[in-house]
Amino acid sequence: MTSQTTSRKDHLVIVGNGMAGQRLLEALLAKPGRPKHITVIGEEQAHAYNRILLSPWLAGEMDREALTLRNTDWYHEHGVKLVLGERVETIDRETQRLTTDTGRELTYDRLVLATGSRPTMPPIAGLDANGVLGFRDLDDAQSLIQLTETVASGDPAVVIGGGLLGLEAAEGLRKRGMSVSVVQRSERLMNRQLDTTAAHLLETELIKRGLSIVTGSRLAELTADGDGHVNGCRLEDDRFLPACCVVIAAGITPNSELGQAAGLATRRAIVVDDYLTTSDPAIHALGECCEFQGQTYGLVDPIWHQVDVLAARLAQEDTEGYVDTPTATKLKVSGVSLYAFGPIEASDDHDVLTYHDPQQGDYRRLLLRDNRLEGAVLYGDTTAGPWYFEQSMAERDLGNCRQALLFGPADATPLLAASHDEHDTPAYQEAA
């Protein structure tokens, strides 16, 4: 057991060496008002890495080194103390001191919890069997790669969850030679991002590649052989899917236990205000472990916005507080591009515009209310997605380009410009 005490003199400690913690660190280092002393503590042994690239690494499309964001020398050059492979176990808010599982003690002036999240595990029997894994961090991906190297080509694997992570895990295992089934409890894949048509196009494409898709089904239990290794999944309709590997990718749970144990206000995650401050003014929370106005986070865009606000706050700059704003979901699932924002389901007062080219695999569906764009789903060709999102955020009246809207900005923009000219000219003449 070791013990180390860092003197408290403008000392910031960031707990979590993931993407959010690293982004905050780099934002702070670019500011003149950065804290004088910064310590970063990461539970994983690895340096900060790009978790989004775990899927292509699993699929064998890139080397492990490509995931790393910064090496040891970088932290040293910037005067940052980096502690890896240690878990913070306790926070004493009264003395502003934390203790890790090695006995290391550090005092802090400001503390940021960026502890991320973990896979949500369903309450079923058999989860403790060997060969049952999540797909969230470097160790998960490494374990899956090692497992594929020990099984025969065509051996069965089952992925629980038909969202982005589940589909990426399934495609990665397939590319490494396994026969993969995906079990999705919803009636369609990626039901939070795609409408029925786009989900059907995605399912058809994945089936062509060799995946088996089971929708509208729930996992009942996992079974194991005499050695304690998983050998199958039983569904609630009593179907049995053989498996020598099961990946659970059915959502995430915020890692808020450390904050909860320290007495911070928590609900689903650690509650923060619009400056990412917890119920203790010396402690902040960021990213997937925090909750703001009842909302938790799993996409990078809002978390990067949180980073900007918190970095300015910690550098003692004037800044506006964090506000949840609509974001577009930009996804690339196994080589298929998707772009979506706004409501997925059309209401009775929505006007629905659709374009579908089955031969090219392109699909667009736009939801308008009073000629203003409220939501879009794009599958295949997503180049017009950012333009649609811009029109939606501006709440622009698109009535004059309605007929050309599905074909994107090249066709719609001239009509919009003409409508503005017609509207502006009389007003200008009258003012003159």
Side-chain angles (χ1 to χ4, degrees):
M1 176 180 291
T2 62
S3 179
Q4 175 180 327
T5 301
T6 300
S7 63
R8 196 159 65 206
K9 184 182 179 183
D10 194 19
H11 185 208
L12 169 69
V13 177
I14 301 173
V15 180
N17 190 219
M19 292 175 66
Q22 181 65 25
R23 180 101 171 188
L24 174 65
L25 175 62
E26 299 203 19
L28 279 171
L29 293 177
K31 293 181 177 296
R34 56 163 283 190
K36 294 179 181 178
H37 307 285
I38 302 176
T39 299
V40 177
I41 304 177
E43 184 173 346
E44 295 184 67
Q45 290 284 354
H47 291 79
Y49 57 88
N50 187 339
R51 198 179 66 230
I52 296 172
L53 298 181
L54 289 175
S55 298
W57 180 44
L58 173 60
E61 297 169 355
M62 64 172 49
D63 296 331
R64 161 65 184 91
E65 291 73 23
L67 277 66
T68 301
L69 297 173
R70 299 293 184 182
N71 59 26
T72 300
D73 291 342
W74 182 87
Y75 294 90
H76 179 72
E77 291 167 2
H78 288 83
V80 175
K81 181 174 181 58
L82 178 64
V83 179
L84 295 177
E86 294 189 28
R87 183 181 67 255
V88 175
E89 290 197 328
T90 61
I91 300 171
D92 186 329
R93 292 165 49 200
E94 184 174 348
T95 62
Q96 296 190 194
R97 181 186 304 269
L98 57 82
T99 306
T100 74
D101 57 355
T102 68
R104 184 191 304 266
E105 295 182 347
L106 296 97
T107 55
Y108 63 85
D109 293 299
R110 293 279 184 176
L111 178 65
V112 174
L113 302 180
T115 49
S117 64
R118 61 186 182 277
T120 299
M121 293 296 179
I124 60 166
L127 283 176
D128 57 348
N130 295 325
V132 180
L133 298 163
F135 184 50
R136 194 67 186 164
D137 60 24
L138 200 64
D139 288 342
D140 292 335
Q142 181 69 66
S143 296
L144 287 171
I145 292 171
Q146 292 173 345
L147 188 147
T148 62
E149 294 171 347
T150 63
V151 299
S153 178
D155 275 357
V158 174
V159 175
I160 307 299
L164 175 63
L165 279 181
L167 296 180
E168 291 286 14
E171 184 69 354
L173 293 174
R174 183 194 69 80
K175 288 182 176 179
R176 288 186 176 269
M178 302 195 75
S179 176
V180 186
S181 298
V182 176
V183 177
Q184 165 74 329
R185 66 182 181 181
S186 172
E187 295 296 333
R188 65 178 188 264
L189 298 175
M190 297 189 65
N191 57 296
R192 293 187 178 181
Q193 292 87 19
L194 302 181
D195 66 1
T196 301
T197 302
H200 177 72
L201 289 168
L202 177 60
E203 180 176 340
T204 300
E205 171 62 25
L206 296 178
I207 290 173
K208 285 181 182 178
R209 299 183 185 189
L211 294 179
S212 175
I213 308 295
V214 181
T215 57
S217 297
R218 291 176 177 268
L219 181 64
E221 65 173 345
L222 301 177
T223 60
D225 59 23
D227 295 326
H229 195 97
V230 67
N231 63 9
C233 304
R234 192 171 304 282
L235 306 182
E236 288 186 349
D237 60 11
D238 212 34
R239 274 184 291 178
F240 182 79
L241 303 177
C244 62
C245 167
V246 174
V247 178
I248 306 294
I252 59 174
T253 298
N255 290 327
S256 58
E257 290 80 5
L258 180 61
Q260 186 175 30
L264 301 178
T266 59
R267 297 191 190 97
R268 288 185 296 164
I270 301 169
V271 177
V272 297
D273 65 13
D274 52 352
Y275 289 100
L276 289 305
T277 306
T278 70
S279 54
D280 184 325
I283 302 178
H284 306 268
L286 174 71
E288 294 172 339
C289 71
C290 82
E291 176 179 340
F292 174 69
Q293 295 183 351
Q295 178 69 42
T296 55
Y297 303 90
L299 298 174
V300 295
D301 281 355
I303 294 174
W304 289 173
H305 184 195
Q306 292 176 3
V307 165
D308 292 340
V309 171
L310 182 53
R313 189 72 163 181
L314 293 172
Q316 303 178 53
E317 298 175 352
D318 291 333
T319 181
E320 295 182 358
Y322 174 77
V323 177
D324 266 334
T325 57
T327 58
T329 302
K330 301 172 286 290
L331 305 172
K332 201 168 187 64
V333 180
S334 306
V336 177
S337 294
L338 310 166
Y339 191 101
F341 63 85
I344 300 302
E345 304 297 338
S347 63
D348 292 339
D349 55 352
H350 273 132
D351 293 328
V352 182
L353 304 182
T354 59
Y355 168 84
H356 188 190
D357 183 346
Q359 290 186 337
Q360 297 298 321
D362 290 335
Y363 171 73
R364 284 161 236 158
R365 191 216 58 187
L366 309 178
L367 299 182
L368 294 94
R369 190 195 311 269
D370 298 328
N371 289 326
R372 287 168 172 79
L373 186 59
E374 291 193 346
V377 174
L378 284 72
Y379 175 95
D381 181 0
T382 62
T383 54
W387 184 82
Y388 287 131
F389 186 65
E390 180 184 341
Q391 308 313 306
S392 179
M393 292 300 95
E395 298 184 350
R396 190 160 291 135
D397 188 328
L398 303 172
N400 281 22
C401 65
R402 180 188 177 90
Q403 298 304 316
L405 197 55
L406 284 168
F407 302 101
D411 291 297
T413 301
L415 296 175
L416 271 178
S419 71
H420 291 319
D421 290 342
E422 292 172 3
H423 180 269
D424 292 341
T425 300
Y428 170 78
Q429 291 173 342
E430 183 178 353

